[in-house]
Amino acid sequence: MKLVRFGERGSEKPGVVGQDGLLRDLSEHVADIAGDALGDLDALKDIDIDSLPLVDQDVRIGACVGNIGKFICVGLNYSDHAAEAGMTVPPEPIIFTKYNSAICGPNDPIIIPRGSEKTDWEVELAVVIGKTAKYVSEDEALDCVAGYAICNDVSERAYQTERSGQWVKGKSCDNFGPFGPWLVTPDEVGNIDSLDMWLDVNGERMQSGTTATMVYKVPYLISYLSQFFTLHPGDVISTGTPPGVGMGMTPPKYLKAGDIVTLGINGLGEQSQTCVDDE
């Protein structure tokens, strides 16, 4: 299933995309694509999707999961991205977070913070937890997954690397976490270790990669994180990016107001964001 949340920010409703590609309203069957409902998505598969009310196809699409508890990100998790950054793959995953105020819809604007000169892009595979996970093994890990989605891990590199302290302040600016458009259930995703992923800026291909070069794979990441803290339904793990980020170019290239960022992952849909200056 391809699950969607649609409507004004903060008032999104649950929806589903049918085989015809049209968005339909799921409100009569589930309150939201969030929390404990993520552990019982199989119950939605018995619904006759074609009988559901159609939604205006021009409606705003929100983040594909609501009420996210933890938004966890993994750094330098692609061998080819680590190489372009001139850094070695860490002996254990680098973990940081995005604050929830960064999370937005897949097509909402990227807001460039005041004074920013190094706002960058990162297409990433995000994993959504659907079942409580604590001290799980790698063999058990995928049983805890509700589905997968696209995240653009927008990053302000000066805030991240030049202003001391933790990465989080360069990762958590408003609208630095476009998420969606769909939450795709595992049965429709296929092999998560061979998904093509890409990102364009103003129509020019910047990132072109595959999850095959991911160093720490999804089962390992879920197991690893669950040794430190409990993962709850609705928690999100964004698993890193392939090469082609602006910081790694010679000379570096960064986003400015008016730029259009388009990105996608095979089977998970596409995002498109216009960059705007913060007021």
Side-chain angles (χ1 to χ4, degrees):
M1 300 183 76
K2 295 181 176 69
L3 299 168
V4 180
R5 298 173 70 250
F6 64 91
E8 294 300 315
R9 192 166 186 166
S11 302
E12 292 92 346
K13 294 181 179 181
V16 61
V17 176
Q19 293 295 325
D20 55 7
L22 299 179
L23 175 59
R24 296 177 183 271
D25 192 338
L26 263 179
S27 297
E28 292 186 6
H29 298 275
V30 64
D32 199 358
I33 310 300
D36 290 339
L38 294 165
D40 194 28
L41 296 182
D42 284 345
L44 301 179
K45 294 178 181 178
D46 294 331
I47 298 171
D48 179 6
I49 292 176
D50 291 341
S51 69
L52 297 175
L54 279 170
V55 175
D56 181 351
Q57 303 304 300
D58 294 326
V59 70
R60 172 187 175 270
I61 302 300
C64 58
V65 175
N67 298 322
I68 294 170
K70 294 187 283 293
F71 204 107
I72 307 158
C73 300
V74 184
L76 297 176
N77 195 32
Y78 281 69
S79 56
D80 38 8
H81 172 53
E84 79 168 344
M87 304 176 74
T88 58
V89 174
E92 293 189 33
I94 293 176
I95 303 300
F96 60 93
T97 62
K98 281 186 181 291
Y99 293 134
N100 287 7
S101 52
I103 301 168
C104 63
N107 304 317
D108 289 344
I110 292 174
I111 301 174
I112 298 177
R114 290 182 184 177
S116 168
E117 296 181 352
K118 297 183 178 181
T119 297
D120 205 346
W121 56 82
E122 295 188 9
V123 57
E124 303 201 359
L125 171 69
V127 182
V128 177
I129 299 298
K131 175 183 174 183
T132 300
K134 184 174 184 178
Y135 300 127
V136 298
S137 68
E138 289 186 59
D139 289 340
E140 300 169 313
L142 293 184
D143 292 335
C144 301
V145 174
Y148 301 91
I150 302 169
C151 174
N152 186 356
D153 177 18
V154 184
S155 309
E156 213 300 338
R157 301 303 188 186
Y159 299 175
Q160 177 189 356
T161 64
E162 300 173 18
R163 296 188 60 175
S164 190
Q166 301 296 315
W167 287 10
V168 65
K169 62 177 174 282
K171 297 285 190 172
S172 294
C173 303
D174 293 347
N175 282 31
F176 268 27
F179 184 44
W182 310 323
L183 173 66
V184 183
T185 51
D187 58 299
E188 291 201 15
V189 176
N191 183 1
I192 57 173
D193 293 329
S194 64
L195 299 177
D196 293 333
M197 50 206 311
W198 56 272
L199 182 145
D200 295 347
V201 178
N202 298 327
E204 180 182 355
R205 183 60 43 94
M206 298 297 181
Q207 290 187 273
S208 182
T210 168
T211 55
T213 64
M214 190 185 295
V215 177
Y216 297 109
K217 306 293 187 182
V218 171
Y220 179 86
L221 291 172
I222 294 171
S223 176
Y224 177 83
L225 293 171
S226 78
Q227 309 307 308
F228 300 104
F229 44 78
T230 302
L231 297 169
H232 296 285
D235 287 348
V236 176
I237 306 168
S238 198
T239 57
T241 197
V245 299
M247 178 179 62
M249 297 180 176
T250 306
K253 181 179 292 188
Y254 296 111
L255 296 170
K256 62 184 184 302
D259 286 344
I260 298 175
V261 181
T262 310
L263 57 149
I265 299 178
N266 188 37
L268 302 183
E270 298 184 7
Q271 301 182 353
S272 181
Q273 299 110 28
T274 299
C275 297
V276 299
D277 287 328
D278 204 354
E279 297 179 355

